[in-house]
Amino acid sequence: NRASPIPPVKPIVEENTTIYRGANGQTYRVPNSAYSRLLSMQTDLRVTLGGLNTKEKELSDLSRKIENDRFKLDQTSQRQVDSFNDSVQTHNSRNQALRREFDSYNRKVDAFNSELERVGTRY
């Protein structure tokens, strides 16, 4: 599920344009007016990725807890079985939601790259 982070912006400002290295490693000459918009998009992507990575770690922690609980589960206790099954359902729901969020994030990365190619000129 892990998406590649967007590399840091290393702009070189020239008259009315900024030289910008995109997520694909390609360098573009971008009008200064578009650069601000791209920088904003990139910042949003970084924040989103940070949140996704946090959720991914929480899901991994829940997976470890479920595995530990599996070994201690008293299958003769309906309460313990129900609690364990609830944990598994919670994990599966969070996993599906996280997959959808990563898919959305990856679409936004693609949109960012498309916008960079649209407004920029390969340098």
Side-chain angles (χ1 to χ4, degrees), residues 57-71:
K57 182 188 178 317
E58 291 169 354
L59 188 63
S60 179
D61 292 345
L62 181 57
S63 292
R64 279 192 295 281
K65 181 185 180 312
I66 289 171
E67 282 305 309
N68 288 336
D69 290 350
R70 183 186 314 270
F71 293 111

Side-chain angles (χ1 to χ4, degrees), residues 79-94:
R79 184 184 58 77
Q80 283 189 25
V81 170
D82 289 345
S83 177
F84 179 80
N85 287 338
D86 286 345
S87 294
V88 170
Q89 267 189 320
T90 298
H91 174 275
N92 291 341
S93 295
R94 287 182 184 176

Side-chain angles (χ1 to χ4, degrees), residues 6-11 17-42 45-46 107-123:
I6 303 293
V9 177
K10 298 198 184 233
T17 63
T18 299
I19 305 302
Y20 184 92
R21 183 175 303 277
N24 60 4
Q26 181 65 46
T27 304
Y28 297 86
R29 182 184 308 270
V30 177
N32 289 339
S33 58
Y35 176 75
S36 327
R37 187 173 67 256
L38 288 169
L39 183 59
S40 175
M41 290 172 73
Q42 185 180 51
L45 287 170
R46 281 203 185 104
R107 285 190 298 275
K108 289 177 183 177
V109 169
D110 290 342
F112 170 83
N113 288 332
S114 294
E115 179 66 5
L116 177 59
E117 288 206 17
R118 185 184 75 76
V119 300
T121 306
R122 287 183 188 232
Y123 185 70

